[in-house]
Amino acid sequence: MSAQPQKVREFTGKHMLFTIVGFFAVVIAVNVTMATLASTSWTGLVVENTYVASQQFNQKAKEGRAQAALGWTAKLTIASGEVGYSLSDATGKPVTLRAVKVLFRHPAYEAEDKVVILAAGPGQEFSARHTPKDGVWIVEIDADAGLAEPYRDVRRIMISKGTMP
């Protein structure tokens, strides 16, 4: 029995060309993918002009302290496709509200942001039909309670199976 000699494959210039072209094709594909994802996701922009925002900080802090001094308690509910909001004063009595606007902001994707206007319901509960996607949300609530400025409530919440636990 004689062993058949195996043909030795040589590494030629054509192989080197395919290797180099393949390497750079992968690098370019990854760069294009990352650039596309970066340009279509959150910009990272929090405020348009940081200088102007810094000039307003003390006034906003003063308004926040005045609002906290009211001693009001806010109740936000999200369940069964409905968003509800109500306020009660320091004694537990419902605060009369004129209008409530809720902004659902996704922390990473501005395209997911949604404004929901709540309508008056029984008692002083305001509600609207809306089911945010599961995940983390920043909820900004502006409630017109007859004050000089709207009562502002900002929270970071987690939605799981359409409900806020």
Side-chain angles (χ1 to χ4, degrees):
M1 236 188 208
S2 65
Q4 300 236 350
Q6 287 190 340
K7 186 175 180 184
V8 177
R9 294 182 65 192
E10 290 183 18
F11 188 78
T12 64
K14 207 184 280 187
H15 293 114
M16 186 64 188
L17 176 66
F18 290 143
T19 302
I20 297 286
V21 168
F23 171 79
F24 283 107
V26 168
V27 169
I28 291 169
V30 168
N31 284 339
V32 167
T33 301
M34 297 302 277
T36 302
L37 290 173
S39 66
T40 58
S41 66
W42 184 51
T43 62
L45 184 66
V46 178
V47 292
E48 290 290 330
N49 186 328
T50 56
Y51 177 75
V52 171
S54 71
Q55 299 302 305
Q56 298 169 349
F57 178 81
N58 288 338
Q59 179 62 29
K60 290 188 182 215
K62 181 180 175 185
E63 291 170 4
R65 286 190 297 273
Q67 181 176 302
L70 294 172
W72 290 359
T73 304
K75 180 182 176 193
L76 173 67
T77 57
I78 301 172
S80 304
E82 188 144 332
V83 177
Y85 189 77
S86 63
L87 278 172
S88 54
D89 64 15
T91 63
K93 294 179 185 172
V95 173
T96 303
L97 299 175
R98 299 176 185 167
V100 178
K101 178 179 81 169
V102 180
L103 169 62
F104 287 89
R105 288 190 319 124
H106 195 279
Y109 300 102
E110 292 171 346
E112 299 285 333
D113 295 358
K114 177 140 174 95
V115 174
V116 179
I117 305 297
L118 305 186
Q124 281 302 312
E125 174 90 13
F126 275 67
S127 63
R129 303 286 304 160
H130 177 63
T131 306
K133 291 182 180 178
D134 287 355
V136 176
W137 291 91
I138 298 170
V139 180
E140 298 177 7
I141 304 156
D142 288 325
D144 182 359
L147 304 172
E149 295 291 325
Y151 184 86
R152 187 154 172 79
D153 187 2
V154 180
R155 321 171 174 207
R156 188 178 199 101
I157 63 169
M158 179 71 162
I159 302 293
S160 178
K161 298 178 184 169
T163 304
M164 183 179 77

